[in-house]
């Protein structure tokens, strides 16, 4: 600390290499200085879509389901239909019941429940229809947070047939906020169409949902653990815990030599194991990378951490890219192990 | 009136928003680089908050700046440097406190009795006033009042005697006391 202090005091303003601001940072400065509330015209931008995870059917045998909206709820307790890796294990007990249903073009659509931990907004929904939507229908539009609530977001979606007339789906939104996460978010969703991907037939409809989801209680542990690589530097900044998930916030700086050849490279954390050697599925929320190779606001969520875990090992992977869309190649980097709590003394 | 490199200081003092755009475009990269160098271990959020705070200080205190366009870069850079160091120290303290909480053990901070604890606004006023002092005096004041180092520590760092440090602090305090906001604190 003292050495750092001296180094910083001696920092020569004339010699330091400038670090360009992004457009978002520039806007934030102006907001901070002029006290302007968030602009209405802020654009929602999907930066990166997290790979949609598949569903597993556990049982479909004994459900009989009414076909019209008036016979609500047409299905309750959908969680067993969803692969437990997709849905956090505590989802059912934490999620707020929504129960909003709409019918359009012969398809009933109901938002069953939703949960939000400051990083992930997850909700379950069910479709009920006589129409043939195929085994894994696709919805037209992803859900968004109400305008102005997030600076940008990514999302993933899963929808799966569970019996003749019923389909169960999960939508996950990973919003990125300008400042601290709000205590409540408003989800807006106009799916617009449901498409049977096998026969390529879309059914249009005017379902339109808007519902609020309160934030779960969270605690954040600052870690600021950095690791230097020839590829650059990776910093695990913090872990935020809720009863739903553990969210790891990280940053990176790609080395100049790599940037020269691969100007749009990123570092992603793809594997997490704990001190017992168990592997945990990583849910990637994406992040921002500036032109100078500085990645920030990158987050991953882990749904399966238990209280007895004392350390986590993260395996970063560098994605070499020439542009923001296509990654030319990837390479695993040396894993980094971080103590997340003290070892038990006995 | 269009702001450019010749008139932006005047524009800034009048509160012209175009001048704000101009200084963000011209000096944003410098302020960001300094903040990042010092605060990156606390994450980009801390860096961005510092950058915002630096520009807010410049905007609110532009009338205090006296000098030419070429001096402005140094002024902005100095504010960024010390704001970032100050923020680093408070984040470090917070981190230490959090750790202490976890261990269920509280350790009171050790305070140099000569150290003046300045409220945030006074810190701002001091920072801006001090940035007008000659370089050595400025560093001494920063170490004393911002970084809360003792005269002995400052003397060690700068290779000077304690008496020389105290003399410079005394002379500097008299000079800074012309600023009403700082008078009661420093004299």
């Amino acid at each position: 600390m003292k050495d750092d202090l001296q180094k910083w005091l001696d920092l020569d303003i004339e010699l330091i290499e400038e670090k360009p601001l992004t457009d978002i940072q520039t806007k934030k400065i102006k907001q901070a200085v002029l006290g302007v509330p968030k602009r209405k015209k802020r654009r929602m931008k999907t930066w990166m879509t997290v790979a949609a995870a598949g569903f597993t059917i556990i049982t479909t045998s004994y459900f009989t389901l009414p076909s019209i909206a008036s016979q609500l709820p047409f299905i309750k307790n959908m969680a067993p239909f969803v692969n437990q890796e997709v849905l956090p294990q505590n989802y059912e007990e934490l999620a707020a019941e929504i129960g909003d249903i709409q019918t359009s073009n012969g398809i009933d659509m109901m938002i069953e429940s939703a949960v939000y931990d400051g990083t992930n907004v997850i909700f379950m929904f069910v479709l009920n229809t006589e129409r043939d939507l195929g085994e894994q229908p696709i919805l037209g539009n992803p859900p968004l947070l109400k305008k102005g609530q997030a600076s940008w977001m990514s999302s993933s979606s899963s929808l799966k047939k569970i019996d003749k007339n019923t389909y169960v789906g999960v939508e996950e939104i990973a919003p990125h906020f300008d400042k601290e996460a709000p205590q409540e978010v408003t989800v807006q969703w106009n799916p617009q169409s449901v498409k049977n991907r096998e026969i390529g037939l879309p059914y249009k409809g005017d379902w339109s949902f808007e519902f609020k989801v309160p934030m779960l209680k969270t605690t954040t542990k600052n870690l600021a653990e950095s690791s230097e690589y020839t590829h650059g530097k990776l910093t695990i900044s913090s872990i935020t815990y809720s009863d739903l998930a553990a969210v790891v916030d990280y940053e990176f700086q790609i080395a100049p030599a790599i940037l020269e050849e691969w100007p749009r490279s990123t570092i992603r954390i793809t594997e997490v194991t704990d001190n017992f050697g168990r592997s945990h599925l990583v849910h990637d929320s994406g992040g921002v990378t500036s032109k100078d190779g500085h990645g920030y606001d990158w987050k991953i969520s882990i749904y399966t951490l238990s209280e007895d875990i004392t350390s986590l090992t993260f395996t970063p992977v560098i994605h070499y890219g020439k542009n923001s869309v296509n990654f030319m190649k990837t390479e695993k980097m040396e894993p980094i192990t971080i103590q997340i709590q003290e070892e038990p003394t006995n | 009136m269009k702001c450019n490199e010749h008139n932006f200081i005047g524009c800034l003092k009048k509160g012209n928003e175009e001048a704000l755009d101009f200084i963000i475009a011209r000096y944003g990269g410098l302020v960001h680089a300094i903040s990042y160098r010092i605060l990156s271990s606390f994450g980009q959020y801390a860096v961005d908050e510092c950058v915002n705070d630096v520009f807010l200080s410049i905007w609110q205190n532009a009338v205090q700046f006296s000098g030419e366009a070429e001096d402005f870069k140094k002024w902005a850079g100095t504010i960024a440097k010390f704001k970032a160091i100050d923020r680093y120290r408070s984040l470090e303290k917070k981190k230490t406190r959090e750790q202490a909480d976890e261990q269920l053990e509280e350790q009171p901070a050790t305070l140099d009795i000569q150290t003046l604890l300045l409220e945030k606004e006074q810190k701002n006023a001091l920072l801006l006033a001090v940035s007008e002092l000659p370089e050595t005096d400025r560093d001494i004041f920063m170490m004393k009042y911002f970084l809360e180092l003792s005269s002995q520590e400052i003397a060690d760092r700068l290779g000077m005697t304690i008496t020389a440090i105290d003399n410079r602090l005394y002379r500097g305090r008299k000079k800074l006391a012309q600023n009403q906001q700082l008078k009661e604190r420093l004299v």
Side-chain angles (χ1 to χ4, degrees), chain A residues 1-2 4-6 8-11 13-14 16-21 25-26 28-30 32-34 178-180 221-224 235 237 251 253 294 296, chain B residues 17 20-21 24 28-30 32-34 36-38 41 43-45 48 51-52 55-56 59 73-74 77-78 81-82 85 88-89 98 102 143 147 153 157:
Chain A
M1 162 71 197
K2 288 206 167 181
D4 284 340
L5 204 61
Q6 190 61 56
W8 297 332
L9 284 167
D10 294 341
L11 195 63
I13 290 157
E14 295 296 332
I16 191 164
E17 190 183 339
E18 293 197 7
K19 186 168 171 58
L21 294 167
Q25 284 174 306
T26 303
K28 283 186 194 171
I29 295 170
K30 285 197 72 177
V33 172
L34 300 172
D178 281 348
K179 291 202 164 183
E180 283 177 17
K221 186 178 171 74
N222 289 319
L223 296 168
T235 303
S237 313
E251 292 191 31
Q253 177 63 55
H294 176 213
Y296 59 93
Chain B
E17 281 187 32
L20 179 64
D21 291 332
I24 294 172
L30 172 74
H32 188 207
I34 294 168
Y36 182 76
R37 179 79 67 95
I38 295 168
S41 60
Q44 188 63 30
Y45 183 71
D48 286 348
V51 172
N52 294 352
F55 279 101
L56 183 63
W59 177 252
K73 180 180 176 185
K74 199 157 195 175
T78 305
K81 184 157 99 172
F82 287 110
I85 295 175
Y88 180 93
R89 286 175 60 89
E98 280 168 5
E102 279 166 19
M143 290 188 212
L147 309 181
E153 283 175 299
R157 275 163 195 276

Side-chain angles (χ1 to χ4, degrees), chain B residues 98-121:
Chain B
E98 280 168 5
Q99 281 163 359
D101 286 349
E102 279 166 19
Q103 294 158 9
L104 296 175
E105 190 179 280
E106 286 183 1
Q107 293 180 321
T110 49
L111 290 178
D112 174 355
I113 49 162
Q114 288 184 41
T115 301
L116 298 173
L117 294 173
L118 299 168
E119 296 301 324
K120 195 179 171 195
E121 279 172 29

Side-chain angles (χ1 to χ4, degrees), chain B residues 126-178:
Chain B
L126 177 65
L127 173 62
L128 290 154
V130 164
S131 62
E132 301 286 297
L133 291 174
E135 201 160 326
T136 311
D137 290 356
R138 190 180 63 207
D139 286 352
I140 293 172
F141 265 80
M142 284 302 158
M143 290 188 212
K144 182 78 180 171
Y145 295 111
F146 250 74
L147 309 181
E148 297 166 16
L149 300 184
S150 68
S151 296
Q152 180 66 60
E153 283 175 299
I154 301 170
D156 292 345
R157 275 163 195 276
L158 297 178
M160 296 166 79
T161 62
I162 295 186
T163 318
I165 298 294
D166 286 341
N167 278 340
R168 279 174 182 266
L169 282 169
Y170 174 74
R171 283 204 307 272
R173 273 198 293 266
K174 279 185 101 171
K175 192 171 173 187
L176 292 177
Q178 289 161 12

